[in-house]
Amino acid sequence: MHIQTDSPTYTIPSGDHVVTMRNRKRMDLTSVKSIDRFDHEEFLVRTSQGLLQIRGEELRIVHLDVDKGLLTLEGTVGLIQYDEEESESRNFLHKLFG
């Protein structure tokens, strides 16, 4: 990843999954494939790295660009966690079927 120090902008290589959080109040995510479920307390986001669970209070979508896989959330973030079962089952199927 190339980060420019003289500017708040940075370049993310295509396909990389990046999660950026500012003061637990704003999250930016890349490589988002879909949002499976969401409400003010929980988001289930399918990313290139697996299913991401985000829990908190007063969560809301600020920006969503489906074509570019970008998502920005605001609210108070209490937990972010990847679902390990999905990645394990994907690895098993990948080993089985190549």
Side-chain angles (χ1 to χ4, degrees):
M1 179 181 344
H2 177 273
I3 299 176
Q4 298 173 337
T5 57
D6 59 337
S7 171
T9 63
Y10 53 91
T11 304
I12 300 168
S14 177
D16 280 1
H17 173 59
V18 177
V19 177
T20 306
M21 188 176 343
R22 290 178 219 131
N23 299 321
R24 293 181 54 197
K25 298 289 184 190
R26 184 178 176 102
M27 287 185 72
D28 296 303
L29 297 99
T30 66
S31 294
V32 171
K33 294 182 176 183
S34 66
I35 300 173
D36 287 1
R37 183 174 70 215
F38 71 95
D39 59 32
H40 293 293
E41 295 178 348
E42 180 180 47
F43 274 73
L44 290 178
V45 181
R46 201 163 295 277
T47 73
S48 63
Q49 296 295 307
L51 190 63
L52 176 62
Q53 177 185 36
I54 304 164
R55 287 189 183 170
E57 298 174 2
E58 300 177 19
L59 298 175
R60 64 185 177 91
I61 297 173
V62 174
H63 177 78
L64 175 62
D65 187 329
V66 178
D67 295 330
K68 294 181 181 177
L70 303 175
L71 173 64
T72 300
L73 302 175
E74 283 187 349
T76 304
V77 176
L79 171 105
I80 58 172
Q81 177 178 334
Y82 288 89
D83 184 357
E84 296 297 328
E85 291 178 344
E86 180 178 286
S87 62
E88 286 175 10
S89 65
R90 185 184 320 152
N91 288 339
F92 172 74
L93 291 175
H94 182 69
K95 289 177 185 176
L96 195 61
F97 297 110

Coordinates of all heavy atoms in Angstrom, one line a residue:
M1 N 0.8 -1.2 0.0 CA 0.0 0.0 0.0 C 0.9 1.2 0.0 O 1.8 1.3 0.8 CB -0.9 0.0 1.2 CG -1.8 1.2 1.2 SD -3.0 1.5 2.6 CE -3.2 0.0 3.4
H2 N 0.6 2.2 -0.8 CA 1.3 3.4 -0.9 C 0.6 4.5 -0.2 O -0.6 4.8 -0.4 CB 1.5 3.8 -2.4 CG 2.2 5.1 -2.6 ND1 1.5 6.3 -2.6 CD2 3.5 5.4 -2.7 CE1 2.4 7.3 -2.7 NE2 3.6 6.8 -2.8
I3 N 1.2 5.1 0.8 CA 0.6 6.2 1.6 C 1.3 7.4 1.4 O 2.6 7.5 1.6 CB 0.6 5.8 3.1 CG1 -0.2 4.5 3.4 CG2 0.0 7.0 4.0 CD1 -0.2 4.1 4.8
Q4 N 0.6 8.5 1.1 CA 1.2 9.8 0.9 C 1.1 10.5 2.2 O 0.1 10.7 2.8 CB 0.5 10.6 -0.2 CG 0.5 10.0 -1.5 CD -0.4 10.7 -2.5 OE1 -1.3 11.4 -2.1 NE2 -0.1 10.6 -3.8
T5 N 2.3 11.0 2.7 CA 2.3 11.6 4.0 C 1.9 13.1 4.0 O 1.5 13.6 5.0 CB 3.7 11.5 4.6 OG1 4.7 12.1 3.7 CG2 4.1 10.1 4.9
D6 N 2.0 13.7 2.8 CA 1.6 15.2 2.7 C 0.2 15.4 2.4 O -0.3 16.5 2.4 CB 2.5 15.8 1.6 CG 2.3 15.2 0.3 OD1 1.9 14.0 0.2 OD2 2.5 15.9 -0.8
S7 N -0.6 14.3 2.3 CA -2.0 14.4 2.0 C -2.8 13.4 2.7 O -2.3 12.3 3.0 CB -2.2 14.3 0.5 OG -3.6 14.2 0.2
P8 N -4.1 13.6 3.1 CA -4.8 12.6 3.8 C -5.4 11.5 2.9 O -6.0 10.6 3.3 CB -6.0 13.4 4.4 CG -6.2 14.6 3.5 CD -4.8 14.9 3.0
T9 N -5.1 11.6 1.6 CA -5.5 10.6 0.6 C -4.4 9.5 0.5 O -3.3 9.8 0.6 CB -5.8 11.2 -0.7 OG1 -4.6 11.7 -1.3 CG2 -6.9 12.2 -0.6
Y10 N -4.9 8.3 0.2 CA -3.9 7.2 -0.1 C -4.5 6.3 -1.1 O -5.7 6.3 -1.4 CB -3.6 6.4 1.2 CG -4.8 5.9 2.0 CD1 -5.3 4.7 1.7 CD2 -5.4 6.7 3.0 CE1 -6.4 4.2 2.4 CE2 -6.5 6.3 3.6 CZ -7.0 5.0 3.4 OH -8.1 4.6 4.0
T11 N -3.6 5.6 -1.7 CA -4.0 4.6 -2.8 C -4.0 3.2 -2.3 O -3.1 2.8 -1.7 CB -3.0 4.7 -4.0 OG1 -2.9 6.1 -4.4 CG2 -3.4 3.9 -5.1
I12 N -5.1 2.5 -2.6 CA -5.3 1.1 -2.1 C -5.2 0.3 -3.4 O -5.9 0.5 -4.3 CB -6.7 0.9 -1.5 CG1 -6.8 1.8 -0.2 CG2 -6.8 -0.5 -1.1 CD1 -8.2 1.9 0.3
P13 N -4.3 -0.7 -3.4 CA -4.2 -1.6 -4.5 C -5.5 -2.3 -4.8 O -6.2 -2.7 -3.8 CB -3.1 -2.6 -4.1 CG -2.3 -1.9 -3.1 CD -3.3 -1.0 -2.4
S14 N -5.8 -2.5 -6.0 CA -7.1 -3.1 -6.4 C -7.2 -4.5 -5.7 O -6.3 -5.3 -5.8 CB -7.1 -3.2 -7.9 OG -8.3 -3.9 -8.3
G15 N -8.4 -4.8 -5.1 CA -8.6 -6.1 -4.5 C -8.2 -6.2 -3.1 O -8.7 -7.1 -2.4
D16 N -7.4 -5.3 -2.5 CA -7.1 -5.3 -1.1 C -8.3 -5.0 -0.3 O -9.1 -4.1 -0.6 CB -5.9 -4.4 -0.8 CG -4.6 -4.9 -1.2 OD1 -4.5 -6.0 -1.7 OD2 -3.6 -4.2 -0.9
H17 N -8.4 -5.7 0.9 CA -9.5 -5.4 1.8 C -8.9 -4.5 2.9 O -8.0 -5.0 3.6 CB -10.1 -6.7 2.4 CG -11.0 -6.5 3.5 ND1 -12.2 -5.8 3.4 CD2 -11.0 -6.9 4.8 CE1 -12.9 -5.8 4.5 NE2 -12.2 -6.5 5.4
V18 N -9.4 -3.3 3.1 CA -8.9 -2.4 4.1 C -10.0 -1.9 4.9 O -11.1 -1.5 4.4 CB -8.2 -1.2 3.4 CG1 -7.7 -0.2 4.5 CG2 -7.0 -1.6 2.5
V19 N -9.8 -1.9 6.3 CA -10.8 -1.4 7.2 C -10.1 -0.2 8.0 O -9.0 -0.4 8.5 CB -11.3 -2.4 8.2 CG1 -12.2 -1.8 9.3 CG2 -11.9 -3.6 7.5
T20 N -10.7 0.9 7.9 CA -10.2 2.1 8.6 C -11.2 2.6 9.6 O -12.4 2.8 9.2 CB -9.8 3.2 7.6 OG1 -9.0 2.7 6.6 CG2 -9.2 4.4 8.3
M21 N -10.8 2.8 10.8 CA -11.8 3.3 11.8 C -11.2 4.6 12.4 O -10.1 4.7 12.8 CB -12.0 2.3 12.9 CG -13.1 2.7 13.8 SD -13.6 1.5 15.1 CE -13.0 0.0 14.6
R22 N -12.1 5.6 12.6 CA -11.7 6.9 13.2 C -12.5 7.0 14.5 O -13.7 7.2 14.4 CB -12.0 8.0 12.2 CG -11.1 8.0 11.0 CD -11.4 9.2 10.1 NE -11.2 8.6 8.8 CZ -12.1 8.7 7.8 NH1 -13.2 9.4 7.9 NH2 -11.9 8.1 6.6
N23 N -11.8 7.0 15.6 CA -12.4 7.2 16.9 C -13.6 6.4 17.2 O -14.5 6.9 17.9 CB -12.7 8.7 17.1 CG -11.5 9.6 17.0 OD1 -10.4 9.3 17.4 ND2 -11.6 10.7 16.3
R24 N -13.7 5.2 16.7 CA -14.8 4.3 16.9 C -16.1 4.9 16.4 O -17.2 4.4 16.8 CB -14.9 3.8 18.3 CG -13.8 3.0 18.8 CD -13.9 2.5 20.2 NE -15.2 1.9 20.4 CZ -15.7 1.6 21.6 NH1 -15.0 2.0 22.7 NH2 -16.8 1.1 21.8
K25 N -16.1 6.0 15.6 CA -17.3 6.7 15.2 C -17.5 6.6 13.7 O -18.6 6.8 13.2 CB -17.3 8.2 15.6 CG -17.2 8.4 17.0 CD -18.5 8.1 17.7 CE -18.4 8.5 19.2 NZ -19.6 7.9 19.9
R26 N -16.5 6.2 12.9 CA -16.6 6.2 11.5 C -15.7 5.1 10.9 O -14.6 5.0 11.3 CB -16.2 7.5 10.9 CG -16.4 7.6 9.4 CD -16.1 9.0 8.9 NE -16.2 9.0 7.4 CZ -17.2 9.6 6.8 NH1 -18.2 10.1 7.4 NH2 -17.1 9.6 5.4
M27 N -16.3 4.2 10.1 CA -15.5 3.1 9.5 C -15.6 3.2 8.0 O -16.7 3.4 7.4 CB -16.1 1.8 9.9 CG -15.8 1.4 11.3 SD -16.5 -0.3 11.6 CE -15.3 -1.3 10.7
D28 N -14.5 3.0 7.3 CA -14.4 2.9 5.9 C -13.9 1.5 5.5 O -12.9 1.1 6.1 CB -13.4 4.0 5.3 CG -13.9 5.4 5.5 OD1 -15.0 5.7 5.1 OD2 -13.1 6.1 6.2
L29 N -14.6 0.8 4.6 CA -14.2 -0.5 4.2 C -14.1 -0.6 2.7 O -14.9 0.1 2.0 CB -15.3 -1.5 4.6 CG -15.5 -1.7 6.1 CD1 -16.7 -0.8 6.6 CD2 -15.8 -3.1 6.5
T30 N -13.1 -1.4 2.2 CA -13.0 -1.6 0.8 C -13.2 -3.1 0.6 O -13.2 -3.9 1.5 CB -11.6 -1.2 0.3 OG1 -10.6 -2.0 0.9 CG2 -11.3 0.2 0.6
S31 N -13.3 -3.5 -0.7 CA -13.6 -4.9 -1.1 C -14.8 -5.5 -0.5 O -14.8 -6.6 -0.1 CB -12.4 -5.8 -0.9 OG -11.3 -5.3 -1.7
V32 N -15.9 -4.7 -0.4 CA -17.2 -5.1 0.1 C -17.9 -5.7 -1.0 O -18.1 -5.1 -2.1 CB -18.0 -3.9 0.7 CG1 -19.4 -4.3 1.0 CG2 -17.2 -3.4 1.9
K33 N -18.4 -7.0 -0.8 CA -19.1 -7.7 -1.9 C -20.7 -7.4 -1.7 O -21.4 -7.3 -2.7 CB -18.8 -9.2 -1.8 CG -17.4 -9.5 -2.2 CD -17.2 -10.9 -2.2 CE -15.8 -11.3 -2.7 NZ -15.5 -12.7 -2.8
S34 N -21.1 -7.5 -0.5 CA -22.6 -7.3 -0.2 C -22.8 -7.0 1.3 O -21.9 -7.3 2.1 CB -23.4 -8.5 -0.7 OG -23.1 -9.6 0.1
I35 N -23.9 -6.5 1.6 CA -24.4 -6.4 3.0 C -25.5 -7.4 3.2 O -26.6 -7.2 2.5 CB -24.8 -4.9 3.3 CG1 -23.7 -4.0 3.0 CG2 -25.3 -4.8 4.7 CD1 -24.1 -2.5 3.1
D36 N -25.3 -8.4 4.0 CA -26.2 -9.4 4.2 C -27.4 -9.0 5.1 O -28.5 -9.4 4.8 CB -25.6 -10.7 4.8 CG -24.7 -11.4 3.7 OD1 -24.6 -11.0 2.6 OD2 -24.2 -12.5 4.1
R37 N -27.1 -8.2 6.1 CA -28.1 -7.8 7.0 C -27.6 -6.6 7.8 O -26.4 -6.4 8.0 CB -28.3 -8.9 8.0 CG -29.4 -8.7 9.0 CD -29.7 -9.9 9.9 NE -28.6 -10.2 10.8 CZ -28.2 -11.3 11.1 NH1 -28.8 -12.4 10.7 NH2 -27.2 -11.5 12.0
F38 N -28.5 -5.6 8.1 CA -28.1 -4.5 8.9 C -29.2 -3.8 9.6 O -30.4 -3.9 9.2 CB -27.4 -3.4 8.0 CG -28.2 -2.7 7.1 CD1 -28.8 -1.5 7.4 CD2 -28.5 -3.2 5.8 CE1 -29.6 -0.8 6.5 CE2 -29.3 -2.5 4.9 CZ -29.8 -1.3 5.3
D39 N -28.9 -3.2 10.7 CA -29.8 -2.4 11.5 C -29.0 -1.4 12.3 O -27.8 -1.3 12.0 CB -30.8 -3.2 12.3 CG -30.2 -4.1 13.4 OD1 -29.1 -3.7 13.9 OD2 -30.7 -5.1 13.7
H40 N -29.6 -0.7 13.2 CA -28.8 0.3 14.0 C -27.8 -0.3 15.0 O -27.0 0.4 15.5 CB -29.8 1.2 14.7 CG -30.6 2.1 13.8 ND1 -30.1 3.0 13.0 CD2 -31.9 2.1 13.5 CE1 -31.0 3.6 12.3 NE2 -32.1 3.0 12.6
E41 N -27.9 -1.6 15.2 CA -27.0 -2.2 16.2 C -26.0 -3.3 15.6 O -25.1 -3.7 16.2 CB -27.8 -2.9 17.3 CG -28.6 -1.9 18.1 CD -29.4 -2.6 19.2 OE1 -29.6 -3.8 19.1 OE2 -29.9 -1.8 20.0
E42 N -26.3 -3.7 14.3 CA -25.5 -4.8 13.8 C -25.5 -4.7 12.2 O -26.5 -4.5 11.6 CB -25.9 -6.2 14.2 CG -25.1 -7.3 13.7 CD -25.6 -8.6 14.1 OE1 -26.8 -8.9 14.1 OE2 -24.7 -9.4 14.6
F43 N -24.3 -4.9 11.7 CA -24.1 -5.1 10.2 C -23.4 -6.4 10.0 O -22.4 -6.7 10.7 CB -23.2 -3.9 9.6 CG -24.0 -2.7 9.3 CD1 -24.5 -1.8 10.3 CD2 -24.2 -2.3 8.0 CE1 -25.1 -0.7 10.0 CE2 -24.8 -1.2 7.6 CZ -25.3 -0.3 8.6
L44 N -23.8 -7.1 9.0 CA -23.1 -8.3 8.5 C -22.7 -8.0 7.0 O -23.6 -7.9 6.2 CB -24.0 -9.6 8.5 CG -24.3 -10.1 9.9 CD1 -25.2 -11.3 9.8 CD2 -23.1 -10.4 10.7
V45 N -21.4 -7.8 6.8 CA -20.9 -7.4 5.6 C -20.0 -8.5 5.0 O -19.1 -9.0 5.6 CB -20.1 -6.1 5.8 CG1 -19.5 -5.6 4.4 CG2 -20.9 -5.0 6.4
R46 N -20.4 -8.9 3.7 CA -19.6 -9.9 3.0 C -18.4 -9.2 2.3 O -18.7 -8.3 1.5 CB -20.4 -10.7 2.1 CG -19.9 -12.0 1.7 CD -20.9 -12.9 1.0 NE -22.0 -13.2 2.0 CZ -22.0 -14.2 2.8 NH1 -20.9 -15.0 2.9 NH2 -23.0 -14.5 3.6
T47 N -17.2 -9.5 2.7 CA -16.0 -8.9 2.1 C -15.2 -9.9 1.3 O -15.5 -11.1 1.4 CB -15.1 -8.2 3.2 OG1 -14.4 -9.2 3.9 CG2 -16.0 -7.4 4.1
S48 N -14.1 -9.5 0.7 CA -13.2 -10.4 0.0 C -12.5 -11.3 1.0 O -11.9 -12.3 0.6 CB -12.2 -9.7 -0.9 OG -11.4 -8.8 -0.1
Q49 N -12.5 -10.9 2.3 CA -11.8 -11.7 3.3 C -12.8 -12.5 4.2 O -12.4 -13.0 5.3 CB -10.9 -10.8 4.2 CG -9.8 -10.1 3.4 CD -8.8 -11.2 2.9 OE1 -8.3 -12.0 3.7 NE2 -8.6 -11.1 1.6
G50 N -14.0 -12.6 3.8 CA -15.0 -13.3 4.6 C -16.1 -12.4 5.2 O -16.2 -11.2 4.9
L51 N -17.0 -13.0 6.0 CA -18.1 -12.3 6.5 C -17.6 -11.5 7.7 O -17.0 -12.0 8.7 CB -19.2 -13.3 7.0 CG -20.5 -12.7 7.4 CD1 -21.2 -12.0 6.2 CD2 -21.4 -13.8 7.9
L52 N -17.9 -10.2 7.7 CA -17.5 -9.3 8.8 C -18.7 -8.8 9.6 O -19.7 -8.3 9.0 CB -16.8 -8.0 8.2 CG -16.4 -6.9 9.2 CD1 -15.4 -7.5 10.2 CD2 -15.8 -5.8 8.4
Q53 N -18.7 -9.0 10.9 CA -19.8 -8.6 11.8 C -19.3 -7.3 12.5 O -18.2 -7.3 13.0 CB -20.0 -9.7 12.8 CG -21.1 -9.3 13.8 CD -21.3 -10.4 14.9 OE1 -20.3 -11.0 15.3 NE2 -22.5 -10.6 15.3
I54 N -20.2 -6.3 12.4 CA -19.9 -5.0 13.1 C -21.1 -4.8 14.0 O -22.2 -4.7 13.6 CB -19.8 -3.9 12.0 CG1 -18.7 -4.2 11.0 CG2 -19.5 -2.6 12.8 CD1 -18.8 -3.4 9.8
R55 N -20.8 -4.6 15.3 CA -21.8 -4.3 16.3 C -21.6 -3.0 16.9 O -20.4 -2.6 17.1 CB -21.9 -5.4 17.3 CG -22.5 -6.7 16.9 CD -22.7 -7.6 18.1 NE -23.2 -8.9 17.6 CZ -23.3 -9.9 18.4 NH1 -22.9 -9.9 19.6 NH2 -23.8 -11.0 17.9
G56 N -22.6 -2.3 17.3 CA -22.5 -1.0 18.0 C -23.8 -0.4 18.2 O -24.8 -1.1 18.3
E57 N -23.8 0.9 18.3 CA -25.0 1.7 18.6 C -25.2 2.8 17.5 O -24.2 3.4 17.0 CB -24.9 2.4 19.9 CG -24.8 1.4 21.1 CD -24.6 2.1 22.4 OE1 -24.5 3.3 22.5 OE2 -24.4 1.3 23.4
E58 N -26.4 3.0 17.1 CA -26.8 4.0 16.1 C -25.9 3.9 14.8 O -25.5 4.9 14.2 CB -26.6 5.4 16.7 CG -27.5 5.6 17.9 CD -27.3 7.0 18.6 OE1 -26.8 7.9 18.0 OE2 -27.7 7.1 19.8
L59 N -25.7 2.7 14.4 CA -24.9 2.5 13.1 C -25.8 2.8 11.9 O -27.0 2.5 11.9 CB -24.5 1.0 13.0 CG -23.6 0.5 14.1 CD1 -23.4 -1.0 14.0 CD2 -22.3 1.2 14.1
R60 N -25.2 3.5 11.0 CA -25.9 3.8 9.7 C -24.9 3.9 8.6 O -23.7 4.1 8.8 CB -26.6 5.1 9.9 CG -25.7 6.3 10.1 CD -26.6 7.6 10.4 NE -25.7 8.7 10.7 CZ -25.2 9.6 9.8 NH1 -25.6 9.4 8.5 NH2 -24.4 10.5 10.1
I61 N -25.4 3.7 7.4 CA -24.6 3.8 6.2 C -24.5 5.3 5.8 O -25.5 6.0 5.6 CB -25.3 3.0 5.0 CG1 -25.3 1.5 5.4 CG2 -24.5 3.2 3.7 CD1 -26.1 0.7 4.4
V62 N -23.3 5.7 5.6 CA -23.1 7.1 5.1 C -22.8 7.1 3.6 O -23.3 8.0 2.9 CB -21.8 7.7 5.9 CG1 -21.5 9.1 5.3 CG2 -22.1 7.8 7.3
H63 N -22.1 6.1 3.2 CA -21.7 6.0 1.7 C -21.6 4.5 1.3 O -21.1 3.7 2.1 CB -20.4 6.7 1.4 CG -20.0 6.6 0.0 ND1 -20.5 7.4 -1.0 CD2 -19.0 5.8 -0.6 CE1 -19.9 7.0 -2.1 NE2 -19.0 6.1 -1.9
L64 N -22.2 4.2 0.2 CA -22.1 2.8 -0.3 C -21.9 2.9 -1.8 O -22.7 3.6 -2.5 CB -23.4 2.0 0.0 CG -23.4 0.6 -0.6 CD1 -22.3 -0.3 -0.1 CD2 -24.8 0.0 -0.3
D65 N -20.9 2.4 -2.3 CA -20.6 2.3 -3.8 C -20.4 0.8 -4.1 O -19.3 0.2 -3.9 CB -19.3 3.1 -4.1 CG -19.1 3.2 -5.6 OD1 -19.5 2.2 -6.4 OD2 -18.6 4.2 -6.1
V66 N -21.5 0.2 -4.6 CA -21.5 -1.2 -4.8 C -20.5 -1.6 -5.9 O -19.8 -2.6 -5.9 CB -22.9 -1.7 -5.2 CG1 -22.9 -3.2 -5.6 CG2 -23.9 -1.4 -4.1
D67 N -20.4 -0.8 -7.0 CA -19.5 -1.1 -8.1 C -18.0 -1.1 -7.7 O -17.3 -1.9 -8.1 CB -19.7 -0.1 -9.2 CG -21.1 -0.1 -9.9 OD1 -21.7 -1.2 -9.9 OD2 -21.6 0.9 -10.3
K68 N -17.7 -0.2 -6.8 CA -16.3 -0.1 -6.3 C -16.0 -0.9 -5.0 O -14.9 -1.0 -4.6 CB -15.9 1.3 -6.1 CG -15.8 2.1 -7.4 CD -15.4 3.6 -7.1 CE -15.4 4.4 -8.4 NZ -15.0 5.8 -8.1
G69 N -17.1 -1.4 -4.4 CA -16.9 -2.2 -3.2 C -16.6 -1.4 -2.0 O -15.9 -1.8 -1.1
L70 N -17.1 -0.1 -1.9 CA -16.7 0.8 -0.8 C -18.0 1.0 0.1 O -19.1 1.1 -0.4 CB -16.3 2.2 -1.4 CG -15.1 2.2 -2.3 CD1 -14.9 3.6 -2.9 CD2 -13.9 1.6 -1.7
L71 N -17.7 1.0 1.4 CA -18.7 1.2 2.4 C -18.2 2.1 3.5 O -17.1 1.9 4.0 CB -19.2 -0.1 3.0 CG -20.2 -0.1 4.2 CD1 -21.5 0.5 3.8 CD2 -20.4 -1.5 4.7
T72 N -19.0 3.1 3.9 CA -18.7 4.0 5.0 C -19.8 3.9 6.0 O -21.0 4.1 5.6 CB -18.4 5.4 4.6 OG1 -17.3 5.5 3.7 CG2 -18.1 6.3 5.8
L73 N -19.5 3.6 7.3 CA -20.5 3.6 8.3 C -20.2 4.6 9.4 O -19.0 5.0 9.6 CB -20.5 2.2 9.0 CG -20.7 1.0 8.2 CD1 -20.5 -0.3 9.1 CD2 -22.1 1.0 7.6
E74 N -21.2 5.1 10.0 CA -21.0 6.0 11.2 C -21.9 5.4 12.3 O -22.9 4.7 12.1 CB -21.5 7.4 10.9 CG -20.4 8.2 10.1 CD -20.8 9.7 9.9 OE1 -21.9 10.1 10.2 OE2 -19.9 10.4 9.4
G75 N -21.5 5.8 13.5 CA -22.2 5.3 14.8 C -21.1 5.0 15.8 O -19.9 5.2 15.5
T76 N -21.5 4.4 16.9 CA -20.5 3.9 17.9 C -20.2 2.5 17.7 O -21.1 1.6 17.9 CB -21.0 4.2 19.3 OG1 -21.3 5.6 19.4 CG2 -20.0 3.8 20.3
V77 N -19.0 2.1 17.3 CA -18.6 0.8 17.0 C -18.1 0.1 18.3 O -17.2 0.6 19.0 CB -17.5 0.7 15.9 CG1 -17.0 -0.7 15.7 CG2 -17.9 1.3 14.6
G78 N -18.7 -1.0 18.6 CA -18.3 -1.8 19.8 C -17.5 -3.1 19.5 O -16.8 -3.5 20.3
L79 N -17.8 -3.7 18.3 CA -17.1 -4.9 18.0 C -17.0 -5.1 16.5 O -18.0 -4.7 15.7 CB -18.0 -6.1 18.5 CG -17.6 -7.5 18.0 CD1 -16.9 -8.2 19.2 CD2 -18.8 -8.3 17.6
I80 N -15.9 -5.5 16.0 CA -15.7 -6.0 14.6 C -15.1 -7.4 14.7 O -14.1 -7.6 15.4 CB -14.9 -5.0 13.8 CG1 -13.5 -4.8 14.3 CG2 -15.6 -3.7 13.6 CD1 -12.6 -4.0 13.4
Q81 N -15.7 -8.3 13.9 CA -15.2 -9.7 14.0 C -15.5 -10.4 12.7 O -16.6 -10.2 12.1 CB -16.0 -10.4 15.1 CG -15.7 -11.9 15.2 CD -16.4 -12.5 16.4 OE1 -16.8 -11.8 17.4 NE2 -16.6 -13.8 16.3
Y82 N -14.5 -11.1 12.2 CA -14.7 -11.9 11.0 C -15.2 -13.3 11.4 O -14.8 -13.9 12.4 CB -13.3 -12.0 10.3 CG -13.0 -10.7 9.6 CD1 -12.2 -9.8 10.3 CD2 -13.4 -10.5 8.3 CE1 -11.8 -8.6 9.7 CE2 -13.0 -9.3 7.7 CZ -12.2 -8.3 8.4 OH -11.9 -7.2 7.8
D83 N -16.1 -13.8 10.6 CA -16.6 -15.2 10.8 C -15.6 -16.2 10.3 O -15.4 -16.3 9.1 CB -17.9 -15.3 10.0 CG -18.6 -16.7 10.3 OD1 -18.0 -17.5 11.0 OD2 -19.7 -16.9 9.8
E84 N -15.0 -16.9 11.2 CA -13.9 -17.9 10.8 C -14.5 -19.1 10.2 O -13.8 -19.7 9.4 CB -13.1 -18.3 12.1 CG -12.4 -17.1 12.7 CD -11.3 -16.6 11.8 OE1 -10.7 -17.3 11.0 OE2 -11.0 -15.4 11.9
E85 N -15.7 -19.5 10.5 CA -16.3 -20.7 9.9 C -16.4 -20.6 8.4 O -16.1 -21.5 7.7 CB -17.7 -20.9 10.5 CG -17.7 -21.3 11.9 CD -19.1 -21.5 12.5 OE1 -20.0 -21.1 11.9 OE2 -19.2 -22.1 13.5
E86 N -16.7 -19.4 7.9 CA -16.9 -19.3 6.4 C -15.5 -19.5 5.7 O -15.4 -20.2 4.7 CB -17.4 -17.9 6.0 CG -17.5 -17.8 4.5 CD -18.2 -16.5 4.2 OE1 -19.4 -16.3 4.3 OE2 -17.4 -15.6 3.7
S87 N -14.5 -18.8 6.3 CA -13.1 -19.0 5.6 C -12.6 -20.4 5.8 O -12.0 -20.9 4.9 CB -12.2 -18.0 6.2 OG -12.0 -18.2 7.6
E88 N -12.9 -21.1 6.9 CA -12.5 -22.5 7.0 C -13.2 -23.4 6.0 O -12.6 -24.2 5.4 CB -12.7 -23.0 8.4 CG -11.7 -22.4 9.4 CD -12.1 -22.8 10.9 OE1 -13.0 -23.7 11.1 OE2 -11.5 -22.2 11.8
S89 N -14.5 -23.2 5.8 CA -15.2 -24.0 4.9 C -14.8 -23.7 3.5 O -14.7 -24.6 2.6 CB -16.7 -23.8 5.0 OG -17.1 -22.5 4.6
R90 N -14.5 -22.4 3.2 CA -14.0 -22.1 1.8 C -12.6 -22.8 1.6 O -12.3 -23.3 0.5 CB -13.8 -20.6 1.7 CG -13.4 -20.2 0.3 CD -13.2 -18.7 0.1 NE -14.1 -17.9 0.8 CZ -13.8 -16.6 1.2 NH1 -12.6 -16.1 1.0 NH2 -14.7 -15.9 1.8
N91 N -11.7 -22.8 2.6 CA -10.4 -23.4 2.5 C -10.6 -24.9 2.3 O -9.9 -25.5 1.5 CB -9.5 -23.1 3.7 CG -9.1 -21.7 3.8 OD1 -9.0 -21.0 2.7 ND2 -8.7 -21.2 4.9
F92 N -11.5 -25.5 3.0 CA -11.7 -26.9 2.8 C -12.2 -27.3 1.4 O -11.7 -28.2 0.8 CB -12.8 -27.4 3.9 CG -13.2 -28.8 3.7 CD1 -12.3 -29.9 4.0 CD2 -14.4 -29.1 3.1 CE1 -12.7 -31.2 3.8 CE2 -14.8 -30.4 2.9 CZ -14.0 -31.5 3.3
L93 N -13.2 -26.5 0.9 CA -13.7 -26.7 -0.4 C -12.6 -26.5 -1.5 O -12.5 -27.2 -2.5 CB -14.9 -25.9 -0.7 CG -16.2 -26.3 0.1 CD1 -17.3 -25.3 -0.1 CD2 -16.6 -27.7 -0.2
H94 N -11.8 -25.5 -1.2 CA -10.7 -25.1 -2.2 C -9.7 -26.3 -2.2 O -9.2 -26.7 -3.3 CB -10.0 -23.8 -1.7 CG -8.9 -23.4 -2.7 ND1 -9.2 -23.0 -4.0 CD2 -7.6 -23.4 -2.5 CE1 -8.0 -22.7 -4.5 NE2 -7.1 -23.0 -3.7
K95 N -9.4 -26.9 -1.1 CA -8.4 -28.0 -1.0 C -9.1 -29.2 -1.7 O -8.4 -30.0 -2.4 CB -8.1 -28.4 0.4 CG -7.2 -27.3 1.1 CD -6.9 -27.7 2.5 CE -6.1 -26.7 3.2 NZ -5.9 -26.9 4.7
L96 N -10.4 -29.4 -1.5 CA -11.1 -30.6 -2.1 C -11.2 -30.5 -3.6 O -10.9 -31.4 -4.3 CB -12.4 -30.7 -1.4 CG -13.2 -32.0 -1.6 CD1 -12.4 -33.1 -1.0 CD2 -14.5 -31.9 -1.0
F97 N -11.6 -29.3 -4.1 CA -11.9 -29.1 -5.5 C -10.8 -28.3 -6.3 O -10.9 -28.1 -7.5 CB -13.2 -28.5 -5.7 CG -14.3 -29.4 -5.2 CD1 -15.0 -29.0 -4.0 CD2 -14.7 -30.5 -5.8 CE1 -16.1 -29.8 -3.5 CE2 -15.7 -31.3 -5.3 CZ -16.4 -30.9 -4.2
G98 N -9.8 -27.8 -5.6 CA -8.7 -27.1 -6.2 C -9.1 -25.7 -6.5 O -8.6 -25.0 -7.2

